[in-house]
Amino acid sequence: MSEKIRWGLLGTGAIARCLAENMPASKTGVLTAIGSRTAESAKTFGDKYKVPAAHQHACYDALLADPEVDAIYVSTPHPMHAEWTIKALRAGKHVLCEKPFALNYAEVLAMVDAAQQTGRTLMEAFMWRCHPQTHALLKLIREKAIGDVKLITATFGFKNGFNPDSRLWSN
């Protein structure tokens, strides 16, 4: 591998955009390629985030075949996570898969098996374990800032304005 991990983004949705916007600040990675289901989406995304035209791929398989890519960030809709994670691992790429990792236990086992067979790193992009807020919370609990904590109940949500074309609103 090169000095920095050369990332390929599989998908051009909101999560991929977030990663692309923040990649320039990374000390360990660089955005190298994009794979989309259409040439138009790959070009629009690639141009916006300064991905060279030669690495703007109009299909996911072309991204996986790109020799300039070390690792793939799978940011497709959830039902496609296992399929493309396994394909990326078999293509010799390391994989960071967006959450949820898979739809069920059998898919997770197949993904882990593919990682073991190929000797590639596989990880779920579950940010909360490494998030600064989590570290701050743990520090407060250890310091007993509010006494002995016996139970924490938490939920996760986000604001999502109505967009009939969004995968979250369309059926």
Side-chain angles (χ1 to χ4, degrees), residues 7-8 19 71-75 85 89 93-99 101 121-126:
W7 285 95
L19 191 97
I72 298 290
Y73 181 74
V74 176
S75 64
T85 292
L89 291 163
K93 311 299 184 189
H94 302 281
V95 175
L96 178 61
C97 182
E98 184 51 46
K99 64 187 178 329
F101 202 49
T121 300
L122 171 61
M123 189 171 172
E124 182 182 28
F126 188 76

Side-chain angles (χ1 to χ4, degrees), residues 23-86:
M23 188 64 76
S26 174
K27 295 176 184 171
T28 61
V30 60
L31 177 56
T32 301
I34 181 68
S36 183
R37 290 180 281 182
T38 67
E40 180 183 351
S41 179
K43 180 171 177 24
T44 300
F45 189 100
D47 289 350
K48 180 175 182 177
Y49 297 106
K50 298 176 178 65
V51 174
H55 300 290
Q56 296 175 11
H57 303 293
C59 72
Y60 297 154
D61 287 315
L63 173 64
L64 300 185
D66 190 330
E68 299 297 315
V69 173
D70 303 313
I72 298 290
Y73 181 74
V74 176
S75 64
T76 61
H78 307 151
M80 300 166 69
H81 285 183
E83 173 189 357
W84 288 102
T85 292
I86 292 167

Side-chain angles (χ1 to χ4, degrees), residues 109-131:
L109 287 180
M111 294 160 75
V112 170
D113 186 52
Q116 290 173 337
Q117 287 178 10
T118 60
R120 296 292 179 247
T121 300
L122 171 61
M123 189 171 172
E124 182 182 28
F126 188 76
M127 69 177 181
W128 294 110
R129 182 170 206 132
C130 303
H131 198 282

